[in-house]
Amino acid sequence: MAGGAEQGTGGRRDGDGPRRGRPSTRSRTNGPEQRTTTTPNHTGDVGAVLVGFARALRVAGVDAGAERLHMFVRAVDRLRPGMRADVYWAGRLTLCGGPDDLERYERVFAAYFGDGTPTGRTVAAAPPPRLRMVAADGPVPRGTGRDTEAEAPPLAALAGSTEVLRHRDVADLGGAEREQLRRLLAAFTLRGETRRSARRRPARRGAVDPHATVRELLRGGEPARLRHRARTARPRRVVLLVDVSGSMAPYAEVLLRFAHAAALLRFSRASGCGPRTEVFTIGTRLTRVTRELTHRDPDLAMAALAAAVPDWRGGTRLGELLREFLDRWGQRGMARGAVVVVLSDGWERGAPELLGAQMRRLHRLAYRVIWANPRKARPGYAPLAAGMAAALPSVDAFVEGHSLAALERLAAVVRGAEPAPVEGAERA
C-alpha cells in the first residue's frame, strides 16, 4: 500500500484510510475542519487583504514595494491563503528587506490579522522580534498548534474587519475596536519630507572628493581612480501640536498614541530615520511631552503623559499657546525648516486675530504647516469657526484626522505627498 505511485501523489488519501507518504507544501492539510479556507470565488477578496497588509507595512516603515508585493501574492497562492502560518512566513520571506524590518513586521502582522501566532515548533528568530515565531512543521503539543489554528477565524475575516476599522470615525468606536486601533497605531511611523544635508558621503557619482582621492593615491603609490562624494538626504524635523481640550476629548487619546509612535523614531544612518519628533499638548497650557512619549510601551507612555499634562479637557487658547511655543522653542530653531502639524478642531476661546498673526509667523519659519481637523470629515463641514477661519490662510495642507485611514493620509502628506487644496483659504 505504500508503493511508489502512492507516494508520488504527495500524500493522497485512499478512501477513509490514514494519510500516506510525505505531503507536499501545496497539498498539506489537517482535514476540512483544520483549514480556514478561501475558495477560488474569494480570490479578489484575498488579493485586497494582502494588498491592505502590504500598505499597512509601508505605513510602519517597511519598504514593501510593488515587486515584493507581487512575490508575496505569488507565494501565498502557492501555499494556503487561509492559513495563518503560511501567510506569515510568505510575508516574512518576501516583504522584509533586512533585520530592521522584522520587529515592524511582527507588530503589523499581529495587529492586522489578530493576536494569534504562527503554529508549530518554536524556532530561533533574528533580533529584535518580540513575538515568538514558530514553523508550520514539527511536533505539535496536544491542545495547541494546529487545533488552535483551526479554531481561529479566517484571515480574510480578520483583515476585512481591520479594513472597515481603518475608515471608522474614532469617536464612534467601542472598547474592543479601540483596543484593536491601538495595536495598529503602535506600528505607525512618521517621517518628515527629506532634505539635502550639508554632510557628504562617499558615492559612485557626484563631485570629486580631493582628500579621499589623494589618500587613495598615497596609500597605493600609483595613480588611483577618482573618489566622489554626494550630499546625504535626511528627513526634516516633525513638530506635533496636539489639542487636548474638551472639544477634542473623543480624539485626543488616539492622536497622542499616533504621536507616541512618531516620537519613538530615532536618527539612524542604516535605517534612514530622521531626527526625533517633538510633541506638545495645547489646551489652556502648553506642555512639552516628548520625554514622556519615549517609553517603548504605549500604555506606560500614556500614563506618564497623563501625569504631566494638567489641562486635560479644559478650554482652548490656541493663539496664546502658539505664541508661547514660537517664543520659547520655535524661533530658536525647533520650527525652522520643520514640518509643523497642528491636530485640533480649531475652536478658539481667545481672539482669532492673535491666532492668525501667530500662524503667519509660524508659516514664515516652518517648511510646511499642516492642520489636521477630526471634524473636517463630517457631512456639511465648513471652516466657519473663528479660530479655524483665521488659521487657514497660513496652512499649507488642511486634512482630516478622524480615522486610521485619515492618519495614514496625514503621514503621507508629512512625507511630502501632494496635499489637497486648502478650502476656504485665500493664500497671499
Side-chain angles (χ1 to χ4, degrees):
M1 297 298 294
E6 186 173 302
Q7 295 179 358
T9 61
R12 299 170 56 184
R13 294 178 182 270
D14 291 339
D16 295 332
R19 183 187 304 272
R20 302 179 185 277
R22 181 176 179 83
S24 64
T25 303
R26 184 178 181 85
S27 63
R28 182 171 64 250
T29 61
N30 299 309
E33 71 281 2
Q34 301 288 345
R35 182 182 177 93
T36 54
T37 58
T38 304
T39 61
N41 295 333
H42 298 85
T43 303
D45 295 339
V46 173
V49 168
L50 300 181
V51 171
F53 177 53
R55 179 172 59 237
L57 285 174
R58 286 195 293 270
V59 171
V62 178
D63 186 16
E67 183 177 356
R68 292 184 181 179
L69 175 59
H70 178 66
M71 295 172 58
F72 174 46
V73 173
R74 289 187 59 187
V76 172
D77 182 64
R78 293 295 299 272
L79 298 174
R80 298 169 294 179
M83 304 298 286
R84 174 185 297 276
D86 287 6
V87 176
Y88 171 85
W89 287 109
R92 179 183 166 92
L93 295 175
T94 57
L95 298 176
C96 296
D100 293 339
D101 295 338
L102 296 180
E103 182 181 3
R104 298 169 186 168
Y105 181 84
E106 293 285 342
R107 289 186 283 130
V108 175
F109 188 91
Y112 197 84
F113 292 114
D115 290 332
T117 55
T119 58
R121 62 182 178 85
T122 305
V123 297
R130 295 181 178 178
L131 301 181
R132 188 175 65 178
M133 293 168 288
V134 289
D137 296 331
V140 181
R142 179 177 300 177
T144 60
R146 295 190 175 99
D147 294 337
T148 304
E149 185 174 4
E151 297 174 359
L155 295 183
L158 286 169
S161 63
T162 301
E163 284 298 306
V164 173
L165 181 64
R166 289 180 60 250
H167 299 277
R168 291 278 305 279
D169 194 308
V170 172
D172 301 331
L173 298 183
E177 294 171 324
R178 280 183 173 269
E179 183 61 31
Q180 185 180 0
L181 182 63
R182 294 187 187 107
R183 294 196 301 268
L184 291 170
L185 287 172
F188 245 93
T189 58
L190 187 67
R191 301 178 184 176
E193 184 175 352
T194 57
R195 64 178 178 85
R196 294 181 64 189
S197 172
R199 295 179 178 272
R200 298 179 182 269
R201 59 174 178 80
R204 293 185 178 182
R205 298 179 180 87
V208 176
D209 189 347
H211 299 285
T213 302
V214 171
R215 286 196 300 268
E216 184 71 15
L217 177 63
L218 294 177
R219 184 182 298 111
E222 297 179 358
R225 64 178 182 176
L226 296 178
R227 298 293 179 177
H228 300 270
R229 61 182 181 178
R231 287 187 176 181
T232 58
R234 295 181 57 182
R236 294 181 179 274
R237 179 185 294 109
V238 179
V239 180
L240 300 177
L241 304 175
V242 185
D243 189 346
V244 294
S245 61
S247 60
M248 287 288 293
Y251 304 96
E253 181 194 358
V254 172
L255 296 179
L256 287 171
R257 287 182 179 269
F258 170 76
H260 168 258
L264 291 179
L265 203 58
R266 293 291 188 273
F267 177 74
S268 171
R269 291 185 178 180
S271 61
C273 299
R276 183 175 64 183
T277 301
E278 295 288 345
V279 185
F280 294 81
T281 61
I282 52 178
T284 58
R285 295 181 57 180
L286 178 70
T287 308
R288 186 181 184 183
V289 294
T290 306
R291 178 176 298 178
E292 285 74 15
L293 294 179
T294 54
H295 290 283
R296 301 295 302 180
D297 190 299
D299 294 329
L300 292 178
M302 291 299 104
L305 188 144
V309 178
D311 55 339
W312 282 97
R313 302 191 177 189
T316 311
R317 299 187 297 122
L318 295 177
E320 297 179 23
L321 298 184
L322 188 57
R323 179 174 60 186
E324 181 182 350
F325 164 74
L326 292 173
D327 291 341
R328 295 183 59 184
W329 289 286
Q331 194 76 36
R332 298 182 179 181
M334 184 178 292
R336 291 183 182 274
V339 179
V340 181
V341 183
V342 182
L343 300 108
S344 173
D345 54 8
W347 290 6
E348 170 67 303
R349 292 181 57 182
E353 295 79 11
L354 176 61
L355 176 59
Q358 299 307 314
M359 286 295 298
R360 290 190 294 270
R361 181 183 170 193
L362 174 64
H363 190 263
R364 290 192 296 267
L365 286 173
Y367 174 77
R368 178 182 290 183
V369 179
I370 303 173
W371 194 296
N373 190 333
R375 305 187 184 276
K376 183 177 183 292
R378 296 187 176 183
Y381 171 83
L384 301 179
M388 197 73 257
L392 274 184
S394 302
V395 172
D396 296 299
F398 185 40
V399 299
E400 302 170 353
H402 67 294
S403 65
L404 180 62
L407 294 179
E408 292 176 358
R409 176 60 182 167
L410 170 61
V413 174
V414 171
R415 288 194 300 268
E418 188 66 25
V422 178
E423 300 178 359
E426 298 179 358
R427 300 296 301 274

